[in-house]
Amino acid sequence: MMLIRRSTLTLAGAASLTLGFGLAAQAQSPDLSEPPAIEGEVLGDHGSHTLRMGFGLAESSPQYLSSRYFADILEARTEGRISVNIFPNSQLGDDVQMMEMLQTGTLDMTYPSSSAATTYVPELAAFDLPFLLPSREAAIAVMQSDVGQSMLDGFEGTGIKALTFSENGYRQLSNSARPVTSPEDVAGLDVRGLSVRTMENPVHLAIWQALGANPTPMAFGELFSAMEQGVVDGQENPWSTILTSNFHEVQDYGTETRHVYTPFVMMMSERTWNRLAPEYQELVQEAARQSAEYEIQLSTEYDDWSRDQLEARGMQITRLDDEQIADFQEAVQPVYAEWAPRIGEDLIAEIQAIVEASMND
Ligand code: TK8
């Protein structure tokens, strides 16, 4: 047991401080859970490492806050011999580029969406199937299952060591053209279909084609200015990302489609991994799991809160009832016809069994 400084608690604290001064300020983040206290022994001297980790989201995101916790665990338990420098906001590249940097050893760690990594582990594309995971509990059960673990193990031989899944979350549609309540609104009857930015992932492309949009794959880091300049009408991401990346500044409409649940995968360059002493490797793996658990907790706290914040900031948000969701589900059936055989019917059945078991818990 040891005393640890808490570097990630400032946001909620700052919000209440502001309120304490009587300024009716909007909270900048939900009243976030504190990261669990850092416990466990301090390791002996197995060398010193300064690791660089890059990813796409902003400093206010659950991904960043939990990565700080990851860094804090490593620093505390090695007395500073391992330190992690975090580069958010796609500063070092996009998801695809940073995974390539891990392979060549020019970057130590990154934290992409699973959808960007299907070129390494094709099975990950199961997560991209629309409406496969009906609840967060089901999604977490799949990520923590043997099926999930074998997806992480599937990176072996790629030059990338996958450490853990965590939550990017349920994706929602936003756009600057019109309110969307149905697939017809996406496709446009008298007007052109929405141009929607997608991740660089063929299943996502198929989803938005099936919905009658004009999908454009694009790196996340280019997305804000593409929307600002009207290159695309819209995009889809969890509410927390829409908020923390300020997309509401250029997107007037949101629709709670929850069409895909996307995990994040925390990963390390195999070259970096192999340079670490076994004791350090074990610690990194443990810290990754602990930070992922914290990330999921933060992401859960952020989700509905972010939607309400977006609404408070003027985004017009459409919630869909079961029938309206069913219309979207029906419209994306061609995606299953095309992709289920390629991703693997057995794998999908296994995932569905995990989903069902999680619903009966
Ligand atoms: C951030 C991405 C992002 C993802 C996307 O690097 O590209 O839309 O949802 O979170 O991983």
Side-chain angles (χ1 to χ4, degrees):
M1 289 290 284
M2 38 194 297
L3 280 178
I4 299 301
R5 81 200 140 79
R6 295 255 176 83
S7 57
T8 58
L9 302 183
T10 48
L11 287 175
S16 50
L17 190 69
T18 313
L19 294 173
F21 279 105
L23 306 169
Q26 262 175 350
Q28 291 301 304
S29 77
D31 197 6
L32 294 173
S33 296
E34 299 187 4
I38 297 169
E39 292 178 2
E41 54 173 335
V42 174
L43 301 190
D45 186 351
H46 300 284
S48 295
H49 301 271
T50 302
L51 308 180
R52 294 192 316 148
M53 178 199 262
F55 50 75
L57 298 189
E59 284 93 335
S60 49
S61 65
Q63 185 175 46
Y64 183 88
L65 299 174
S66 62
S67 295
R68 279 252 44 97
Y69 178 52
F70 172 78
D72 287 346
I73 296 172
L74 294 183
E75 282 192 38
R77 295 193 56 192
T78 63
E79 292 183 310
R81 290 194 187 90
I82 300 183
S83 60
V84 184
N85 296 331
I86 304 174
F87 299 86
N89 293 314
S90 307
Q91 282 171 54
L92 302 183
D94 62 44
D95 285 350
V96 174
Q97 291 165 335
M98 286 191 285
M99 284 188 285
E100 287 168 4
M101 289 164 76
L102 258 52
Q103 289 184 285
T104 57
T106 50
L107 177 65
D108 300 302
M109 296 187 70
T110 190
Y111 209 164
S113 290
S114 58
S115 318
T118 57
T119 44
Y120 299 100
V121 179
E123 291 78 11
L124 282 172
F127 281 107
D128 299 309
L129 289 169
F131 302 105
L132 182 68
L133 302 171
S135 69
R136 171 175 277 118
E137 291 69 32
I140 293 170
V142 174
M143 292 192 287
Q144 292 176 345
S145 68
D146 291 349
V147 174
Q149 186 57 48
S150 73
M151 290 175 183
L152 297 180
D153 294 344
F155 281 90
E156 214 179 306
T158 64
I160 292 172
K161 168 81 184 166
L163 296 169
T164 183
F165 283 114
S166 72
E167 171 170 299
N168 186 350
Y170 280 108
R171 308 183 75 86
Q172 325 284 4
L173 175 67
S174 75
N175 85 94
S176 59
R178 52 184 178 261
V180 169
T181 57
S182 66
E184 288 73 32
D185 293 331
V186 175
L189 292 175
D190 318 320
V191 283
R192 70 186 164 80
L194 293 177
S195 59
V196 176
R197 174 270 177 179
T198 68
M199 292 189 284
E200 289 154 299
N201 174 291
V203 184
H204 283 256
L205 206 60
I207 292 172
W208 292 97
Q209 266 158 359
L211 290 170
N214 172 18
T216 310
M218 186 186 295
F220 182 78
E222 292 161 25
L223 179 52
F224 185 93
S225 54
M227 294 189 294
E228 191 175 35
Q229 291 162 17
V231 176
V232 292
D233 299 315
Q235 64 84 46
E236 40 85 63
N237 253 296
W239 294 129
S240 61
T241 298
I242 297 176
L243 179 68
T244 59
S245 300
N246 293 322
F247 289 170
H248 54 286
E249 290 174 9
V250 291
Q251 299 276 275
D252 288 342
Y253 307 101
T255 304
E256 197 154 49
T257 47
R258 291 168 61 92
H259 51 280
V260 168
Y261 178 98
T262 309
F264 280 129
V265 183
M266 186 191 263
M267 31 177 92
M268 184 178 266
S269 166
E270 217 159 67
R271 294 182 190 220
T272 307
W273 177 257
N274 290 335
R275 275 201 297 272
L276 300 178
E279 293 85 350
Y280 280 179
Q281 289 181 342
E282 207 179 302
L283 175 63
V284 163
Q285 183 62 73
E286 192 182 329
R289 288 214 187 91
Q290 289 172 343
S291 72
E293 229 171 88
Y294 181 50
E295 196 275 345
I296 291 173
Q297 188 181 340
L298 292 178
S299 178
T300 307
E301 289 168 10
Y302 252 98
D303 196 14
D304 287 353
W305 180 87
S306 300
R307 180 199 56 209
D308 297 346
Q309 278 293 309
L310 290 166
E311 220 160 29
R313 291 167 195 216
M315 190 180 244
Q316 184 182 324
I317 290 181
T318 305
R319 292 161 175 78
L320 301 176
D321 62 29
D322 291 350
E323 240 167 81
Q324 290 169 315
I325 288 285
D327 290 341
F328 278 91
Q329 283 175 316
E330 188 169 326
V332 296
Q333 279 316 303
V335 178
Y336 275 85
E338 184 187 354
W339 281 95
R342 293 162 82 170
I343 294 168
E345 309 275 9
D346 291 350
L347 173 63
I348 295 167
E350 265 182 279
I351 290 175
Q352 277 162 340
I354 297 167
V355 168
E356 258 156 56
S358 81
M359 313 270 273
N360 297 329
D361 276 352

